[in-house]
Amino acid sequence: MRPLAHSIADLRERARARLPRTLFDFIDGGAQDEATLRANTEALRAVRLLPRALVDVSELDTSVELLGRRYATPLVVAPTGLAGLLWPRGEALLAAAAAARGTAFCLSMMSACSLEEVHAAAPAPFWFQLYLLKDRGINEALMERARACGCEVLVLTVDTKIQGPRERDIRNGFTVPPRITAANLLDMLTHPAWLARVGLGPAVSFGNLAGSACASRDVVSIARFAQDQYDQTPSWTALEWVKRRWRGPVLVKGILDPRDAWLACEHGADAIAVSNHGGRQFDQAPAALSVLEDVAARVGGRAQILLDGGVRRGADVVKALAHGAQGCMAGRALLFGLAANGEAGVSRALEILQEEVRNTLVLLGQPRIDQVDARCLMREPAPGS
Ligand SMILES: Cc1cc2nc3c(=O)[nH]c(=O)nc-3n(C[C@H](O)[C@H](O)[C@H](O)COP(=O)(O)O)c2cc1C
């Protein structure tokens, strides 16, 4: 029997071993030089927490209320397109593992499994993520379907005007569904388990957009689809439109500038994800953590705030809360688990993160996660003091 993975880094190595390079790079990579991708994790790693001594930590409470529902830990499975390329029915497995661990799961509009497939597999209500399209009729129909599938929260991603320039994908000739070519034949053949499970299985496509122009394309065509279909002329009234149509909590994902956070609140956002899309869009953007405190100050409690980007340790969640967030989204951490071992791998990734959150709170001497605040942070002394 294989030994258990002990960290998200272990799961990443297993994902790297099990996936053809094209697929590993698709989840692991970011835009251009990947500076923003690295900045996300480095900013979190650089934070120090200041532990208190002789505190009774025998009764831990890591649960939080996010957008009307209580969860075991302040962690949300971020929306990730095409998880079904890593493992058959990938999104359904993510949803099932998240529900079993009391964690919120957000389905991407660009998922391989459709809303209805995930609804059939997930024992708990989930969240749904939407991109604004020029054809608002498609958006409206997706919102209707999401509501019929019991989705509680709508996540509106606002940082994707065009598809980010992901050079690993372009270099690797990434396609949806993946195609076996002379250039990648050896790579595919040396990953027989993935090949048998996914590569030679039913063609993976965008389950929610079946029949649309986005089915079955190479990365260049997907980028063109995005360019053609993503609405590049939206204004904040689009958020009001979504809010009216959805009639439930709306989380705006992809905010970095505190002025935008304020505008999102003014136009009806119930929550905000401070996010640079995991470094996959704009490679000049700051680390999500680096703007979190300013965003939280500007929001002033009018909306809940999630940090999204770079979460690889439970301590990262605690650090985000100490900077003013009420929770975190994590994308790759769970995808590494999925690629490593299907639903069991996702469950292990969540277990690792949840255990690490508890472990961090105990060592920090702060038994209640909802009382983590800036006093838990080790601030660098001011110059000259
Ligand atoms: C493979 C992959 C696909 C993604 N697809 C989407 C998507 O369809 N919609 C979206 O809003 N964000 C998408 N994201 C971004 C994630 O929701 C999240 O912002 C990001 O993964 C956070 O960074 P992390 O991976 O370091 O946790 C995707 C991320 C990855 C890695």
Side-chain angles (χ1 to χ4, degrees):
M1 225 175 68
R2 280 179 69 83
L4 271 183
H6 294 298
S7 64
I8 299 300
D10 281 356
L11 287 170
R12 178 174 179 266
E13 282 317 304
R14 288 175 193 201
R16 190 207 292 275
R18 294 192 179 174
L19 291 174
R21 176 155 185 189
T22 312
L23 273 300
F24 179 74
D25 279 351
F26 166 64
I27 56 171
D28 193 59
Q32 291 178 334
D33 299 320
E34 304 186 340
T36 301
L37 169 66
R38 281 191 300 280
N40 279 343
T41 47
E42 282 164 8
L44 282 163
R45 198 175 314 138
V47 173
R48 300 288 92 198
L49 296 169
L50 192 60
R52 299 298 307 271
L54 299 179
V55 177
D56 179 354
V57 289
S58 55
E59 303 235 340
L60 281 186
D61 186 359
T62 64
S63 68
V64 287
E65 193 244 293
L66 296 175
L67 293 167
R69 188 175 279 268
R70 191 152 273 280
Y71 297 99
T73 32
L75 194 63
V76 178
V77 179
T80 53
L82 295 173
L85 285 177
L86 311 180
W87 201 278
R89 302 177 58 251
E91 292 89 0
L93 304 186
L94 282 161
R101 294 213 157 264
T103 304
F105 165 74
C106 183
L107 181 69
S108 163
M109 170 175 145
M110 306 302 277
S111 54
C113 287
S114 68
L115 274 154
E116 292 74 16
E117 286 170 273
V118 174
H119 179 47
F126 53 100
W127 300 7
F128 182 62
Q129 176 263 326
L130 199 71
Y131 290 115
L132 274 178
L133 300 181
K134 284 179 188 155
D135 182 348
R136 291 286 158 78
I138 300 179
N139 284 145
E140 232 172 322
L142 285 168
M143 281 192 268
E144 280 306 318
R145 286 170 59 190
R147 216 191 332 272
C149 289
C151 294
E152 289 186 336
V153 173
L154 190 86
V155 173
L156 182 69
T157 300
V158 294
D159 57 13
T160 307
K161 297 138 189 120
I162 54 170
Q163 173 96 342
R166 293 174 212 144
E167 293 178 8
R168 292 202 218 182
D169 290 349
I170 298 166
R171 236 177 266 123
N172 290 334
F174 174 72
T175 59
V176 184
R179 273 197 294 266
I180 300 174
T181 63
N184 68 23
L185 183 62
L186 187 62
D187 191 24
M188 295 283 175
L189 291 177
T190 48
H191 296 90
W194 177 87
L195 192 60
R197 258 194 302 267
V198 183
L200 300 175
V204 173
S205 189
F206 298 96
N208 292 319
L209 302 170
S212 83
C214 196
S216 197
R217 297 301 182 96
D218 64 24
V219 73
V220 177
S221 311
I222 296 167
R224 201 168 301 129
F225 170 85
Q227 189 102 25
D228 288 349
Q229 290 296 318
Y230 291 164
D231 186 355
Q232 290 171 17
T233 63
S235 67
W236 285 100
T237 54
L239 173 56
E240 292 175 10
W241 178 82
V242 167
K243 186 77 190 154
R244 271 198 309 278
R245 290 289 184 287
W246 180 249
R247 301 189 296 274
V250 173
L251 180 150
V252 178
K253 175 173 180 281
I255 297 289
L256 293 169
D257 190 316
R259 291 170 296 183
D260 287 343
W262 184 83
L263 281 165
C265 293
E266 285 290 291
H267 292 275
D270 301 283
I272 286 166
V274 175
S275 169
N276 51 39
H277 214 107
R280 293 167 76 80
Q281 285 297 115
F282 185 38
D283 198 32
Q284 312 303 322
L289 183 78
S290 68
V291 297
L292 181 55
E293 282 187 303
D294 288 346
V295 167
R298 195 69 194 262
V299 166
R302 291 170 72 195
Q304 290 199 302
I305 299 176
L306 301 181
L307 175 87
D308 170 79
V311 172
R312 303 288 183 272
R313 290 274 183 198
D316 295 339
V317 178
V318 177
K319 290 172 180 179
L321 268 56
H323 283 79
Q326 281 76 54
C328 285
M329 282 184 158
R332 293 181 183 83
L334 291 317
L335 293 182
F336 295 145
L338 179 67
N341 199 17
E343 183 174 341
V346 181
S347 183
R348 181 66 187 141
L350 286 168
E351 184 181 38
I352 288 170
L353 291 171
Q354 290 178 335
E355 269 177 23
E356 288 180 352
V357 167
R358 280 194 291 276
N359 177 277
T360 304
L361 291 180
V362 169
L363 291 172
L364 182 60
Q366 175 53 271
R368 295 197 50 156
I369 202 150
D370 59 3
Q371 286 177 12
V372 168
D373 62 19
R375 288 171 297 183
C376 300
L377 293 173
M378 175 67 209
R379 299 283 189 189
E380 292 300 323
S385 67

